[in-house]
Amino acid sequence: MGCAFSCVYIFFIQLEGSVKTTQIEIRPYRAEDNDILSDIWLRASRLAHDFLPDEHLLAQQALVASMYLPDGETHVAVQDGKPVGFIGLRDTYVGGFFVDPEWQGQGIGRRLLAHAFETRAFLTLGVYALNGQARRFYKAIGFEEVGCSEADEQGMPFEVITLRCELEKARF
């Protein structure tokens, strides 16, 4: 059963010996999300892509804010009314997928991917070869390598691996 507008997921998070319940809503992008999502993109990118020059990341952030977030199919993970992550899709291609570094490791990324799979039989994406954490995460979900490029879309000399996952092989 798919979610046409938004979904609410309940997570149990272990914090300092106690279990906290938090609700994560996944809803479509809104214009008022732009600043916080582009900030999440930049902070997460600085951690995951520390090999890229900061001026490159800042230029990309401007494109994320002006084009990719508002023009794509963007789904936002929200906790207590505040965006904590997002996934941007172009048909079956994951063009952007970022979780606030403060919320990483709590299942939000898995929920965003599961949400994307609700209306797709497969997903593909590109990941920098140097981003070992993301590669391990995608492998755990069930993504498999189907190609690679010696440079990224902007021509930077960093290998990008193309991954694909079929819905029936996805592990959430």
Side-chain angles (χ1 to χ4, degrees):
M1 181 171 150
C3 299
F5 298 104
S6 67
C7 297
V8 176
Y9 300 99
I10 298 175
F11 293 93
F12 297 96
I13 300 172
Q14 185 77 31
L15 293 174
E16 299 178 23
S18 64
V19 177
K20 173 186 169 190
T21 302
T22 186
Q23 290 187 348
I24 299 295
E25 173 190 6
I26 298 180
R27 61 161 173 76
Y29 166 85
R30 300 176 187 156
E32 61 265 22
D33 298 328
N34 200 298
D35 289 344
I36 192 165
L37 294 183
S38 67
D39 178 64
I40 288 170
W41 181 91
L42 181 61
R43 289 185 295 115
S45 291
R46 281 178 168 153
L47 288 175
H49 308 142
D50 60 352
F51 48 89
L52 293 173
D54 203 53
E55 59 272 6
H56 176 75
L57 292 175
L58 291 170
Q60 288 299 306
Q61 181 190 26
L63 290 174
V64 167
S66 66
M67 291 176 35
Y68 299 132
L69 288 171
D71 294 343
E73 179 188 342
T74 304
H75 301 271
V76 182
V78 178
Q79 198 275 327
D80 290 335
K82 180 182 176 189
V84 294
F86 68 93
I87 188 167
L89 301 161
R90 290 181 284 167
D91 192 26
T92 59
Y93 186 78
V94 178
F97 178 54
F98 294 88
V99 174
D100 186 318
E102 295 177 20
W103 284 89
Q104 290 179 5
Q106 298 182 31
I108 295 168
R110 288 177 180 273
R111 293 311 321 148
L112 284 164
L113 282 171
H115 183 78
F117 269 116
E118 288 179 3
T119 57
R120 291 160 177 82
F122 69 92
L123 290 172
T124 59
L125 57 87
V127 62
Y128 284 107
L130 293 173
N131 189 347
Q133 181 179 356
R135 291 178 60 202
R136 287 186 297 278
F137 170 78
Y138 293 128
K139 183 177 180 179
I141 297 290
F143 281 84
E144 298 174 344
E145 185 174 338
V146 294
C148 68
S149 170
E150 295 297 318
D152 67 12
E153 291 178 350
Q154 293 79 39
M156 300 284 287
F158 298 103
E159 182 180 5
V160 175
I161 299 169
T162 302
L163 303 174
R164 178 182 168 114
C165 183
E166 305 289 328
L167 173 60
E168 62 269 6
K169 293 182 180 179
R171 298 180 297 272
F172 303 109

